[in-house]
Amino acid sequence: MQFTTIGAAIVDIVVSTVQPMRGAKQDVDHIGLYAGGGAVNAALNVAARGARVTVHACVGRDLEGGLIRDLLQRHGIRAAIPDHRLPTGKAVVMVDDSGAARAYAQRGASAWVGEQGFAGLQQADVVYVTGLSLESQTWLQEALGAMASRPFRLVVTPGARQLSDPTALHGVWDQADLLCVNAREAAKLVGDDTLQTDAPPPDVAQALARRLVRRPGQAILVTLGAGGSLFFDGDQGHFHAARQVAATSTIGAGDAFASAFVHAWADGAEPQAALAAATDSAAQIIQVIPANQAGPLRA
């Protein structure tokens, strides 16, 4: 299977375990430097499952950009990643003793994915789109619109900037074969401001998913946090419970879940089998500190 991921390639500076601040300095258990960003996390996950992978992203002409390229090469992933005048994007990720993560991001070059186009999309079996800037989203829509035919499955996992403007998201949302969101994002996209939980019951999640469908044949994947997940195939919902594991860090759990599901789904797995693979993938990631299992960045 040929997988192409599109989105951010950044450096995660992960700090754990962070306590409420007292004084000017706090000792922590760990500070590490890792590759991150939705496109990189998804690429590493599906490459480990046997897919051939290309990453479309953007980094700066700096040490951090070189480290990301080197890591992808070590994992057999093709990097369609031009250098940019802006520095490689970075995020400082603070993880508390419950595993909850809070990120402070400087997008840098990662906001300019697709400025030079998206060569080679026609060779993909799956094009997996992670969070994009609105500029990058426009460039992607133009690339998709220029295609006489689309041989690949298009999967969209929107980021915060896209979710902030659902009208702008419609271009890729309308074309997606699969839209992946969490419950609160689903509610936001359909204009429902009554949802007060990350883990609504399956019937509520299915009702949200049904409202998200923009065209016949489109499928929706809704993650429900500790409540599990629901895949809506366009006709019916398929629910799967979450695995109960102690969380070391929640960063990257969404990327691990969605990319594993898509890999299994695109390979012909039944919904329950794909959801089970995704659940196991997310459970593995929340038991490690970084957002993927590639290990630290190193020269």
Side-chain angles (χ1 to χ4, degrees):
M1 182 188 303
Q2 178 63 51
F3 228 89
T4 295
T5 68
I6 299 175
I10 65 172
V11 171
D12 284 341
I13 303 157
V14 183
V15 184
S16 71
T17 303
V18 179
Q19 305 293 337
M21 195 67 182
R22 299 183 183 91
K25 182 181 288 186
Q26 177 186 150
D27 288 332
V28 296
D29 296 332
H30 174 83
I31 300 176
L33 195 68
Y34 304 94
V40 168
N41 294 335
L44 288 165
N45 197 21
V46 297
R49 295 167 188 274
R52 302 183 306 278
V53 189
T54 296
V55 174
H56 279 277
C58 191
V59 298
R61 304 183 187 99
D62 48 26
L63 172 65
E64 294 88 345
L67 290 173
I68 290 173
R69 292 177 189 279
D70 290 346
L71 181 139
L72 293 174
Q73 183 179 31
R74 290 199 301 272
H75 286 266
I77 296 169
R78 178 176 176 268
I81 303 180
D83 291 332
H84 199 272
R85 63 185 180 278
L86 292 175
T88 299
K90 302 174 187 68
V92 177
V93 183
M94 315 293 282
V95 183
D96 67 21
D97 55 7
S98 74
R102 175 174 294 179
Y104 303 85
Q106 180 190 39
R107 306 288 180 179
S110 71
W112 295 91
V113 180
E115 186 177 22
Q116 298 181 27
F118 296 93
L121 291 189
Q122 292 278 19
Q123 283 70 56
D125 299 304
V126 174
V127 172
Y128 182 96
V129 181
T130 67
L132 297 175
S133 68
L134 295 184
E135 292 85 356
S136 292
Q137 182 175 268
T138 298
W139 293 324
L140 177 59
Q141 288 172 201
E142 291 172 352
L144 294 172
M147 293 180 182
S149 63
R150 180 162 59 80
F152 51 82
R153 293 192 184 190
L154 179 64
V155 177
V156 176
T157 62
R161 294 188 182 187
Q162 295 158 291
L163 291 163
S164 69
D165 188 353
T167 302
L169 179 61
H170 282 175
V172 291
W173 179 2
D174 291 350
Q175 295 187 62
D177 297 294
L178 176 66
L179 177 74
C180 306
V181 289
N182 64 37
R184 289 189 184 270
E185 291 167 347
K188 180 180 178 65
L189 287 175
V190 300
D192 182 349
D193 58 4
T194 64
L195 188 69
Q196 301 298 318
T197 176
D198 295 326
D203 61 331
V204 173
Q206 180 166 324
L208 288 170
R210 191 179 293 276
R211 293 174 62 187
L212 286 169
V213 173
R214 301 278 300 175
R215 61 174 178 79
Q218 188 175 63
I220 309 292
L221 179 65
V222 184
T223 57
L224 310 175
S229 57
L230 182 127
F231 172 62
F232 183 70
D233 62 14
D235 294 316
Q236 62 179 316
H238 306 267
F239 172 75
H240 195 281
R243 272 182 58 188
Q244 302 304 313
V245 296
T248 299
S249 169
T250 57
I251 182 175
D255 294 329
F257 185 95
S259 59
F261 177 88
V262 171
H263 181 268
W265 171 71
D267 202 36
E270 293 297 321
Q272 283 298 327
L275 288 169
T279 300
D280 288 344
S281 177
Q284 291 169 7
I285 285 296
I286 67 174
Q287 294 179 80
V288 299
I289 289 174
N292 54 65
Q293 299 201 57
L297 280 173
R298 61 184 188 275

